[in-house]
Amino acid sequence: MKLLDGASPTHALAQWAVESKWTDVDAATRSSAASSWMNWFACALGGAGDPALDRLLLALAPFGRGDAPLIGRAEKFDPATIALLHAFASNILDYDDTHWPTGIHPAGTVASALVAWASQTVVSGEDFLHAFLLGMEVECRIGLAVSPGHYERGWHITATCGVLGAAVAVGRLMRLSPQEMAWAMGHAATQSGGLVASLGTMAKSLNIAHAARNGLVAAQLARHGITANDRVLEARFGFSEVMGSRPLDAGLCEGLGQHWVATQNTFKPYPCGFLLHPTLDACLGMADDPIHAGDEIEHITVTVHPLSQIRADRLHPADGLESKLSLQHAVAMAITRGQAGVRAFTDAAVNDVLVRNCRQKVKIVADERLSTEEARVVIHLQSGRLITREILGAQAPMTSEALARKFRELAAWGAPHCHADELLEALGRFPQMANVAELIAMTVPQSR
């Protein structure tokens, strides 16, 4: 596709999102999008039974009643609220996807907004996946254009960039014109927000939830001719200038439709902040030399990238939510209990005496020579012996078999009434589905 000569970055992205064709998307990229969708669906099921979602439903009960269904639940709300609820549920366990170059969890806002819109009109699986891919691509490209300064300054990048991805994805299904799509991006950008200070609390998931809802609303506003700054990414006092730390990257629109940055999306093997994962890989990799007795350990030194120390040096997590961002807790669980699954990051795990005592022995050290995907763990034993394990380089991609196991685990955890294998079979033929709503309906509890 040839972009208009001299088009602004905002207009170039808008035009591309409107004119992109699914037939031009290569098989590998289609497969990557399908895996991202499957992982998001698993996370939404896993969060469906979370007590935090119960609280949120009570808080929102007086507002926005409608007919849009909630994955894994019986409650129904208006589409905008459903977008918010789905994003919250899919993020609350911290088991969602991660685009390592930016730190964005790309599927959260985009899938949540799309599922909400698909409750109001017939959307095919193919159209849904295409819009899903486009939304993720736009948010990841914008994230790259403002990284690393954006996240380092304290903006919660999944929310701030995710709102733009959600707007573009829903705008695609609404068949917006290029001008309307640019307005949708303008509306999304001016609603962009979310602070890293919220991490470790329920508000962190609400950052992403508000972005999903706001992205859906942004597209709806543009659809009805509500104007916005249609050069919002590059404008004076626009997104890049206000929320970035440098001029908008000139490569933002390079290779659109040929080089898909969204295919760098990865899936978490552990339900916690992605910055903890290399350290967990290192600790669990010591399985051939396990140390389960806390009194055998003198202290533990964990060396990570400076950003990992800044974000995850939390010796005393207050609860299960905050433990998902505590390197000390992750290390203690992995070493004393040999696990890092959903139960490892609960209130009960935080209050485990053996785990708590082990956390006290963990020292976090920053080393700028390491990337955020690397870690070094050294266990110093009372005997003077050292046990060392390093993770150098990116983690191996999750296999399709591992992703299916994760899906079953999360369905059993948050929506045990669902038939996981039937859902997996439906997801396998998702591109051929005539109506996405049929898949969502499979997760709703049947009334007795």
Side-chain angles (χ1 to χ4, degrees):
M1 183 189 80
K2 180 177 174 55
L3 295 174
L4 295 173
D5 291 337
S8 74
T10 307
H11 275 275
L13 286 173
Q15 181 196 347
W16 172 74
V18 168
E19 297 182 5
S20 173
K21 295 181 173 56
W22 184 244
T23 52
D24 292 336
V25 180
D26 62 276
T29 299
R30 292 186 185 190
S31 177
S32 175
S35 294
S36 293
W37 162 236
M38 175 179 166
N39 185 79
W40 178 88
F41 203 91
C43 292
L45 287 172
D50 196 272
L53 182 62
D54 293 335
R55 295 186 190 185
L56 184 56
L57 286 165
L58 284 173
L60 298 179
F63 314 117
R65 286 295 180 183
D67 61 356
L70 180 57
I71 288 176
R73 305 278 303 216
E75 294 90 344
K76 293 184 178 182
F77 282 87
D78 67 280
T81 302
I82 283 295
L84 181 148
L85 291 168
H86 278 146
F88 185 89
S90 67
N91 179 258
I92 195 64
L93 294 179
D94 236 325
Y95 220 164
D96 43 1
D97 55 343
T98 301
H99 182 254
W100 275 92
T102 59
I104 293 174
H105 308 302
T109 59
V110 177
S112 301
L114 286 174
V115 170
W117 182 246
S119 70
Q120 303 303 296
T121 186
V122 175
V123 178
S124 70
E126 182 178 290
D127 286 345
F128 185 101
L129 273 184
H130 191 193
F132 178 60
L133 173 63
L134 294 172
M136 290 198 299
E137 184 72 10
V138 167
E139 70 179 307
C140 288
R141 280 178 174 265
I142 294 172
L144 285 170
V146 297
S147 291
H150 183 76
Y151 187 73
E152 291 174 351
R153 289 177 62 189
W155 290 112
H156 188 186
I157 194 168
T158 298
T160 55
C161 294
V163 65
L164 287 145
V168 166
V170 176
R172 170 70 190 205
L173 289 186
M174 289 179 175
R175 295 181 172 81
L176 300 186
S177 69
Q179 178 61 66
E180 291 168 338
M181 188 68 85
W183 285 339
M185 294 173 70
H187 285 302
T190 202
Q191 298 179 87
S192 177
L195 301 176
V196 168
S198 298
L199 270 61
T201 72
M202 296 176 195
K204 183 266 290 185
S205 294
L206 274 172
N207 287 347
I208 300 171
H210 290 310
R213 178 194 59 197
N214 291 347
L216 170 63
V217 171
Q220 179 75 342
L221 292 172
R223 181 182 179 220
H224 288 275
I226 309 297
T227 64
N229 190 315
D230 58 3
R231 288 172 170 77
V232 75
L233 296 179
E234 65 277 5
R236 175 74 168 138
F237 301 127
F239 183 86
S240 179
E241 181 173 308
V242 172
M243 305 181 79
S245 59
R246 56 185 171 85
L248 189 66
D249 195 313
L252 173 63
C253 299
E254 289 182 1
L256 283 170
Q258 282 79 47
H259 173 61
W260 294 90
V261 300
T263 59
Q264 294 176 277
N265 202 19
T266 63
F267 312 120
K268 292 183 179 180
Y270 314 117
C272 58
F274 69 96
L275 292 172
L276 276 61
H277 285 217
T279 300
L280 279 170
D281 283 341
C283 292
L284 294 171
M286 295 174 175
D288 56 344
D289 198 349
I291 300 296
H292 294 288
D295 56 4
E296 294 182 55
I297 300 172
E298 180 181 291
H299 67 277
I300 304 166
T301 302
V302 178
T303 305
V304 292
H305 183 274
L307 182 62
S308 301
Q309 183 191 44
I310 292 169
R311 296 285 185 257
D313 187 352
R314 299 169 188 253
L315 180 57
H316 302 293
D319 53 22
L321 274 179
E322 192 172 8
S323 76
K324 295 172 179 292
L325 296 160
S326 167
L327 277 165
Q328 289 91 337
H329 180 78
V331 170
M333 279 300 306
I335 289 176
T336 63
R337 299 304 187 194
Q339 62 165 294
V342 177
R343 287 182 172 82
F345 299 94
T346 59
D347 292 354
V350 168
N351 295 316
D352 183 302
V353 174
L354 188 60
V355 173
R356 189 169 62 223
N357 290 341
C358 187
R359 284 201 300 262
Q360 303 283 349
K361 300 181 179 184
V362 180
K363 178 183 179 181
I364 311 300
V365 177
D367 186 343
E368 61 184 12
R369 294 172 297 180
L370 296 178
S371 75
T372 55
E373 298 179 76
E374 299 175 323
R376 182 182 305 110
V377 177
V378 181
I379 301 177
H380 302 254
L381 301 182
Q382 297 286 359
S383 65
R385 179 175 167 231
L386 302 181
I387 303 175
T388 302
R389 169 83 171 175
E390 292 182 316
I391 298 297
L392 300 177
Q395 67 182 32
M398 183 174 282
T399 65
S400 57
E401 293 78 14
L403 187 55
R405 287 195 299 271
K406 177 179 177 179
F407 188 98
R408 294 186 183 94
E409 173 198 4
L410 285 169
W413 178 261
H417 61 278
C418 289
H419 300 285
D421 286 338
E422 291 182 7
L423 288 171
L424 284 169
E425 189 276 330
L427 284 166
R429 53 181 172 80
F430 184 77
Q432 290 76 47
M433 292 188 74
N435 190 353
V436 171
E438 296 174 6
L439 175 65
I440 309 306
M442 292 174 64
T443 74
V444 177
Q446 299 299 310
S447 58
R448 295 182 179 179

